[in-house]
Amino acid sequence: ADTSTKQESFSAKVEGTFVATRALENLELDFEGNQISNVWVDDRMVQTKRNGSSLVVPVGPKGGTPSRAKGSLFRVRVEYTGKFFQADGLDPNDFEKFGGLMAMHKNRAGRTIYDSLNWPSKARRWLPLREHPRDGALVSWTITFPKQWTVVANGRHVETKDAGAGSRTWRYESLQSMLTYDFHLAAY
């Protein structure tokens, strides 16, 4: 995260492993906003399309076959940048405007906190994913912030290490499937 400006930005890589539950030409991920740099399917870069709040990823395997066979596994990696949602001064009960990956510069203690609020369907504001209650997922986080920040996220704390340039990287793993609106991270 770049916390040096008033409108903080972040860069991210999200990688997911999927199972085709039917023959599949495209995977539609729920994803709003953000600037996509690259999308990979397995080890191949692909061209995606935006369809409203969906990111359409062609998942046909190498070799010209247009679709994945039912039952096949494949990996999708999305590399992108985005901006933290500025939550200062907004009513937290206004669910249309409030939520996603947020920066609050004056929380109740007068300090800045970076926080996610994904319920009921706000994870798509900062994570490319399948955001449906029947689509649970495991999550592993690798989060880098300036050294003076503490980061917490879902799962077991696996590691904290210096990342150079005054930053620190935190790793968490949750090996139990959960709904994506339960994904959470905070830095304070």
Side-chain angles (χ1 to χ4, degrees):
D2 175 6
T3 59
S4 63
T5 64
K6 197 73 170 154
Q7 176 67 46
E8 293 90 357
S9 60
F10 64 91
S11 60
K13 288 183 220 174
V14 172
E15 185 170 315
T17 301
F18 297 87
V19 177
T21 57
R22 58 181 165 76
L24 192 63
E25 289 184 30
N26 296 304
L27 173 67
E28 282 198 42
L29 298 174
D30 299 307
F31 195 43
E32 295 175 1
N34 301 292
Q35 183 66 43
I36 297 171
S37 306
N38 295 304
V39 177
W40 300 79
V41 173
D42 295 326
D43 297 321
R44 179 176 48 92
M45 192 181 302
V46 297
Q47 295 296 317
T48 61
K49 293 182 220 167
R50 293 281 193 152
N51 183 10
S53 64
S54 294
L55 175 64
V56 181
V57 180
V59 295
K62 223 178 204 179
T65 308
S67 64
R68 288 278 167 172
K70 179 179 178 178
S72 64
L73 283 165
F74 59 95
R75 287 184 339 273
V76 174
R77 184 175 77 226
V78 181
E79 299 170 352
Y80 61 100
T81 58
K83 302 227 182 269
F84 286 91
F85 176 73
Q86 299 301 305
D88 297 315
L90 291 178
D91 178 359
N93 296 314
D94 185 349
F95 282 117
E96 278 301 309
K97 295 179 182 172
F98 202 75
L101 188 57
M102 303 178 296
M104 291 176 277
H105 294 288
K106 292 188 179 179
N107 67 5
R108 291 181 191 175
R111 297 187 175 173
T112 299
I113 186 169
Y114 298 89
D115 196 15
S116 64
L117 173 65
N118 297 329
W119 185 88
S121 58
K122 304 288 178 22
R124 68 183 65 201
R125 290 182 174 177
W126 67 285
L127 291 170
L129 43 71
R130 297 278 302 163
E131 194 172 38
H132 190 279
R134 73 172 173 254
D135 290 331
L138 310 178
V139 65
S140 174
W141 304 95
T142 302
I143 308 162
T144 302
F145 258 83
K147 269 187 182 179
Q148 66 269 26
W149 294 83
T150 298
V151 174
V152 293
N154 293 93
R156 180 177 66 86
H157 178 234
V158 176
E159 176 182 44
T160 301
K161 66 179 180 179
D162 287 341
S167 63
R168 182 171 288 143
T169 298
W170 302 75
R171 284 193 43 233
Y172 290 87
E173 290 179 351
S174 179
L175 301 178
Q176 278 190 280
S177 183
M178 70 180 79
L179 302 175
T180 57
Y181 60 67
D182 286 331
F183 288 2
H184 183 76
L185 73 86
Y188 56 95

